[in-house]
Amino acid sequence: MSEKLKYGMIGGGPGAFIGGVHRAAIRINDEAELVAWADVIPEEARLKAGVDMGVAPDRIYGSFDEMAAAEGAREDKIDWIDIVTPNAFHYPAAKAFLEKGIHVVCEKPLCFTKEQGEDLKRIAAENGALFAVTYVYTGHVMAREARQLVRDGVIGEIRMVMGEYPQDWLLDALETITEDNKPWRADPKLSGRGAAVADLGTHIENWVSYVTGLQIEKLACNLDVFGKGGVLDNNVEALIKFKGGATGIYWTSQVAIGFDNALKIRIFGDKGTLEFVQEENNYLRVSLRGEPPKIYSRGAGYLTPEAKKYGRVPTGHPEGLTEAFANIYKDFAAAIRDKKAGKDIVEDDYGYPTVQMGIDGVEFFNKCVDSHEAGAVWVNIE
Ligand SMILES: NC(=O)c1ccc[n+]([C@@H]2O[C@H](COP(=O)([O-])OP(=O)(O)OC[C@H]3O[C@@H](n4cnc5c(N)ncnc54)[C@H](O)[C@@H]3O)[C@@H](O)[C@H]2O)c1
């Protein structure tokens, strides 16, 4: 194994949801180590948490600006920065590091506006920086299998897509919002113009486009705000027309009692159907016309080589969210190593979700809000 890569992180302090999962995923691959970290929590807690993570005290920062200035000036620069803050800080933090020529991994949704996303893409290109957006559900082995089966023509020409993503973990917080007690996901200043549509809807949009290659031509969307005091959507229904004639229905909700994280996507072609259920992500249901449905199992020998290479333990030993992140990091580290070796990089060839996919997600949720505000009318995607 060649020398370990070095990375920094912004966000993901004690009690944060996703930063620790990213660090665990990177540890599984054993290809990189955390050497710099920034968070806005109070200094004493920050120093303790950073040292506990193995970061040297002089590389623990109280803001991403300070971190970008200091880390960007070092000879032994980090290979990439990992941005796991609330949405509002993705754009300025990514920009600060791209301008130093440092590769970026950013959580979704990428930013607030398509213009910000295009800006990040341009700055990345100008500075030779790679950019991954952690749409984690594309990292599951069975997502890679579904993508390859579509590419191999197994289900034929796609006709319809049904995507749903109900949750209820924020239900109590969303029903009791006050000005002083608001989850950042329900605060437009931190979340952006959309809540469920940006947080969850973009996962559906991304998974479908990642797996099928379909591009949305137009959509019509209704947003609901159930409960008291909320201003952002917590329930979303969208009708989709794809370029080429396929259609779709996407539904997501943060107030669907009884559902944990129930992303389910069905893709119907003229030869067959694929069904992926996130909470049962070690399996993929494949139905071919005129045959009984089959359940493909992650780790089985019959999977395509493109999917099989991401499996880590034998079939029947479940892999999950952390392994899915690890697969995205595995792709990203491969691109960084190839770039360091002087190879020409085409980011789409590595398998991780790219900055363009991040931009598509931002355009998707903004168009959903535009459609809703105009009375759930059809709006075109450029
Ligand atoms: N891919 C996924 O499946 C997935 C899952 C969960 C969250 N997310 C995304 O990850 C991001 C973080 O979500 P979360 O649930 O972990 O949030 P969180 O509130 O649990 O954690 C946010 C962390 O960022 C820190 N922070 C806040 N402002 C900061 C700033 N200006 N600079 C540095 N640090 C700052 C907080 O102190 C905290 O440590 C969001 O964009 C969210 O959409 C993605």
Side-chain angles (χ1 to χ4, degrees), residues 49-119:
V51 169
D52 287 350
M53 290 178 206
V55 179
D58 65 335
R59 297 182 82 174
I60 300 170
Y61 305 92
S63 79
F64 61 77
D65 285 330
E66 187 197 342
M67 182 183 190
E71 291 294 323
R74 292 181 71 104
E75 288 258 312
D76 60 341
K77 277 196 188 62
I78 49 175
D79 291 291
W80 86 82
I81 188 70
D82 202 341
I83 302 170
V84 289
T85 64
N87 306 344
F89 309 109
H90 294 179
Y91 170 73
K95 185 166 180 286
F97 280 83
L98 292 174
E99 285 172 347
K100 304 287 181 196
I102 292 171
H103 307 309
V104 171
V105 174
C106 185
E107 262 300 352
K108 44 50 61 177
L110 174 62
C111 50
F112 281 1
T113 65
K114 186 180 178 189
E115 291 69 30
Q116 287 180 338
E118 298 285 6
D119 211 23

Side-chain angles (χ1 to χ4, degrees), residues 11 22 31 77 84 96 104 113 115 123 138-139 145 163 172 176 207 266 291-292 302 328 338 348 350 372:
H22 283 249
E31 282 194 272
K77 277 196 188 62
V84 289
V104 171
T113 65
E115 291 69 30
I123 299 168
T138 64
E145 179 70 4
D172 291 337
T176 55
W207 203 93
R266 284 175 285 176
E291 297 180 19
Y302 49 72
I328 290 173
D338 282 352
D348 278 323
Y350 286 85
H372 170 74

Side-chain angles (χ1 to χ4, degrees), residues 15-193:
F17 172 5
I18 213 64
V21 185
H22 283 249
R23 293 193 296 273
I26 295 164
R27 278 199 299 274
I28 294 183
N29 291 339
D30 203 18
E31 282 194 272
E33 59 182 328
L34 179 70
V35 296
W37 179 58
D39 202 300
V40 290
I41 57 172
E43 188 173 6
E44 198 180 327
R46 188 168 68 240
L47 273 173
K48 180 177 181 326
V51 169
D52 287 350
M53 290 178 206
V55 179
D58 65 335
R59 297 182 82 174
I60 300 170
Y61 305 92
S63 79
F64 61 77
D65 285 330
E66 187 197 342
M67 182 183 190
E71 291 294 323
R74 292 181 71 104
E75 288 258 312
D76 60 341
K77 277 196 188 62
I78 49 175
D79 291 291
W80 86 82
I81 188 70
D82 202 341
I83 302 170
V84 289
T85 64
N87 306 344
F89 309 109
H90 294 179
Y91 170 73
K95 185 166 180 286
F97 280 83
L98 292 174
E99 285 172 347
K100 304 287 181 196
I102 292 171
H103 307 309
V104 171
V105 174
C106 185
E107 262 300 352
K108 44 50 61 177
L110 174 62
C111 50
F112 281 1
T113 65
K114 186 180 178 189
E115 291 69 30
Q116 287 180 338
E118 298 285 6
D119 211 23
L120 293 178
K121 185 178 172 185
R122 178 183 54 75
I123 299 168
E126 283 171 4
N127 290 281
L130 305 175
F131 203 128
V133 180
T134 41
Y135 281 114
V136 62
Y137 305 120
T138 64
H140 288 298
V141 174
M142 299 317 258
R144 304 300 172 100
E145 179 70 4
R147 189 187 216 200
Q148 196 55 43
L149 294 179
V150 171
R151 287 180 169 182
D152 290 346
V154 170
I155 62 164
E157 191 169 330
I158 295 168
R159 293 173 165 172
M160 299 95 68
V161 178
M162 300 292 140
E164 61 178 64
Y165 194 170
Q167 292 184 338
D168 72 359
W169 67 280
L170 274 171
L171 184 70
D172 291 337
L174 292 172
E175 301 248 320
T176 55
I177 288 177
T178 62
E179 230 357 88
D180 311 326
N181 179 22
K182 197 190 282 184
W184 68 256
R185 284 177 167 79
D187 180 347
K189 290 197 288 301
L190 294 172
S191 177
R193 287 175 83 201

Side-chain angles (χ1 to χ4, degrees), residues 295-337:
I295 306 295
Y296 284 27
S297 180
R298 185 207 47 74
Y302 49 72
L303 296 190
T304 60
E306 291 76 10
K308 223 184 318 188
K309 69 182 181 195
Y310 291 97
R312 291 156 194 275
V313 290
T315 190
H317 300 79
E319 293 182 2
L321 184 74
T322 313
E323 288 84 357
F325 273 115
N327 290 337
I328 290 173
Y329 280 109
K330 183 172 161 171
D331 293 336
F332 195 65
I336 292 179
R337 288 192 192 283

